């Protein structure tokens, strides 16, 4: 992709910072499958402390972190309760079903990212009847990507965890962008994820590391997840070279996330003033925003292609929505130019 493009498809397009590259070049490494990579060990300790959990595990991707959590928490064939718009449900290649024989019990996500309370209660209560699978896990997502980076509060997470516990199951948090949620709430990651039995958070999105996510939880949970990571092919040997960038991500890239949120709001405000764009700027809470075209007959792929010709990249979805994600490297000027390009693309 030409670097001249303003790339708002995702925060996964962020590049490692110069400090990360320097740290990677000089990282001390060893065989992590033997537990002998000092840089990975340091990252795992830092991540556990940052998340307020006993232990943490470095995994190559968010999807592997979530899948390892499901395989660790659940017996084979246990159903998992997930949001209908959850990444785990839609975008992880059916990992829970394919690898653990786990049926999904999808609960409708409401526009604010929360789960429909009646459907949630009904799904968590399943498993008594002989026709039903035992239910092994509640999975929640914060921020909720496909609802527009919406933030679930600590109180909300506490309620979900308590509900899950009442039905005898743990709660896993897909916190790919949990740092964004914590920043929006003005609290630490540890405070946010305290209610979750386990949490996955990504280093490779808004925090700019080239590779990697962390899975955190109790000592016993992480010890078993380490075995599952090996099963999934995630035992990575001298991956301290990658962990070095992760340490920089946790130390240096968290505090700047509110800048991304301000730019998303800036873009939303622009879009709110463009006739032909349908958006509610008031629901933009973090670095993700969705909008749609007031002219529903306009093909979204055609619009994003016109926008790309203007030098701006965004993601179109089959439901007619278009997503923009702000991140490190995007400036206020780029946002202003992106908004002008959107206005031009509407008539292209
Ligand atoms: C909410 C959410 N969870 C999990 C993931 C998976 O992360 P990865 O792409 O590192 O597998 C993503 C990726 O975009 C995500 O948005």
């Amino acid at each position: 992709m030409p670097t001249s493009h303003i790339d708002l498809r995702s925060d996964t397009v962020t590049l490692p910072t110069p400090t990360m590259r320097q740290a990677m070049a000089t990282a001390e490494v060893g065989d992590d499958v033997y537990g002998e990579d000092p840089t990975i060990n340091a990252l795992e300790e830092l991540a556990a402390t940052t998340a307020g959990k006993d232990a943490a595990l470095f995994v190559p991707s968010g999807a592997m972190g979530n899948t390892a959590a499901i395989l660790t928490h659940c017996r084979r064939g246990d159903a998992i309760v997930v949001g209908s718009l959850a990444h785990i449900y839609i975008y992880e290649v059916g990992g829970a079903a394919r690898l653990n024989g786990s049926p999904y019990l999808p609960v409708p996500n409401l526009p604010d990212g929360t789960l429909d309370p009646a459907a949630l209660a009904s799904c968590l209560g399943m498993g008594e009847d002989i026709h039903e699978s035992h239910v092994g896990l509640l999975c929640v997502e914060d921020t909720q990507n496909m609802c527009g980076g919406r933030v679930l509060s600590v109180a909300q997470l506490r309620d979900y965890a308590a509900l899950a516990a009442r039905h005898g199951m743990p709660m896993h948090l897909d916190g790919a962008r949990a740092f964004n949620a914590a920043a929006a709430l003005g609290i630490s990651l540890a405070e946010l994820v305290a209610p979750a039995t386990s949490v996955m958070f990504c280093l490779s999105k808004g925090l700019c590391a080239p590779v990697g996510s962390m899975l955190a939880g109790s000592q016993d949970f992480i010890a078993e997840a380490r075995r599952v990571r090996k099963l999934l092919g995630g035992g990575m040997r001298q991956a301290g070279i990658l962990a070095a960038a992760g340490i920089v991500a946790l130390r240096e890239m968290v505090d700047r996330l509110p800048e991304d949120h301000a730019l998303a709001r800036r873009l939303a405000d622009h879009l709110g003033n463009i006739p032909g764009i349908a958006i509610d700027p008031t629901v933009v809470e973090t670095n993700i925003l969705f909008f749609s075209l007031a002219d529903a007959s306009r093909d979204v792929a055609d619009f994003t292609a016109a926008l790309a010709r203007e030098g701006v990249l965004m993601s179109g979805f089959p439901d007619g929505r278009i997503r923009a994600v702000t991140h490190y490297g995007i400036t206020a000027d780029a946002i202003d130019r992106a908004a002008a390009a959107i206005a031009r693309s509407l008539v292209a």
Side-chain angles (χ1 to χ4, degrees):
M1 199 55 60
T3 48
S4 58
H5 275 75
I6 300 168
D7 193 344
L8 300 172
R9 288 171 300 168
S10 175
D11 47 12
T12 57
V13 303
T14 46
L15 302 176
T17 65
T19 316
M20 286 178 185
R21 288 186 183 271
Q22 182 60 33
M24 294 170 81
T26 55
E28 212 186 317
V29 296
D31 189 333
D32 181 53
V33 176
Y34 293 148
E36 291 173 3
D37 188 306
T39 310
I40 293 188
N41 293 342
L43 172 65
E44 291 181 343
E45 264 179 49
L46 176 62
T49 308
T50 307
K53 302 291 185 202
D54 294 341
L57 179 70
F58 184 47
V59 286
S61 68
M64 187 184 284
N66 283 333
T67 304
I70 294 164
L71 268 64
T72 304
H73 284 301
C74 294
R75 295 176 307 187
R76 183 161 180 81
D78 281 355
I80 65 168
V81 178
V82 281
S84 58
L85 294 175
H87 197 277
I88 287 177
Y89 182 46
I90 308 176
Y91 294 122
E92 295 189 2
V93 209
R98 292 174 69 167
L99 301 169
N100 204 50
S102 287
Y104 298 91
L105 296 174
V107 175
N109 272 113
L110 303 179
D112 66 358
T114 60
L115 300 168
D116 178 82
L120 177 62
S122 149
C123 286
L124 290 176
M126 289 180 78
E128 294 287 316
D129 187 286
I130 195 173
H131 297 88
E132 299 165 355
S133 296
H134 179 76
V135 184
L137 182 65
L138 169 62
C139 299
V140 294
E141 187 177 308
D142 194 7
T143 67
Q144 216 301 338
N145 181 348
M146 292 305 288
C147 290
R150 298 302 297 269
V151 177
L152 306 192
S153 67
V154 188
Q156 185 68 79
L157 295 178
R158 221 180 276 130
D159 284 354
Y160 288 152
L163 203 55
R166 238 175 284 144
H167 288 91
M169 71 189 77
M171 181 178 88
H172 172 68
L173 175 61
D174 175 351
R177 296 180 183 81
F179 280 111
N180 296 85
L185 293 166
I187 60 176
S188 69
L189 183 78
E191 285 172 275
L192 178 75
V193 309
T197 320
S198 59
V199 58
M200 182 285 291
F201 53 94
C202 292
L203 307 171
S204 61
K205 298 192 165 64
L207 303 187
C208 299
V211 175
S213 295
M214 304 306 305
L215 180 62
S218 70
Q219 292 285 0
D220 286 351
F221 170 80
I222 291 299
E224 184 55 25
R226 200 174 286 282
R227 189 183 300 267
V228 173
R229 183 186 67 173
K230 194 79 181 74
L231 167 74
L232 298 175
M236 292 188 291
R237 310 297 178 187
Q238 288 77 25
I241 284 180
L242 303 173
I247 291 173
V248 176
L250 290 180
R251 288 203 178 128
E252 295 187 4
M253 303 306 285
V254 173
D255 289 348
R256 57 156 307 281
L257 291 176
E259 294 171 31
D260 298 342
H261 301 179
L263 290 181
R265 280 194 299 277
R266 184 182 183 100
L267 181 59
D269 288 340
H270 279 310
L271 297 184
N273 290 321
I274 300 178
I277 295 291
I279 185 170
D280 178 0
T282 63
V283 303
V284 177
E285 295 178 321
T286 58
N287 67 330
I288 299 179
L289 68 84
F290 279 91
F291 62 94
S292 43
L293 306 177
D295 175 5
S297 67
R298 174 89 189 262
D299 183 57
V300 167
D302 173 67
F303 173 78
T304 52
L307 195 55
R309 286 194 294 278
E310 292 279 351
V312 177
L313 304 178
M314 292 186 181
S315 304
F317 288 87
D319 63 3
R321 296 187 303 159
I322 297 146
R323 188 184 69 180
V325 186
T326 54
H327 52 79
Y328 185 68
I330 297 293
T331 60
D333 175 61
I335 290 296
D336 297 348
R337 284 188 284 129
I342 287 171
R344 287 195 297 276
S345 302
L346 280 174
V347 291

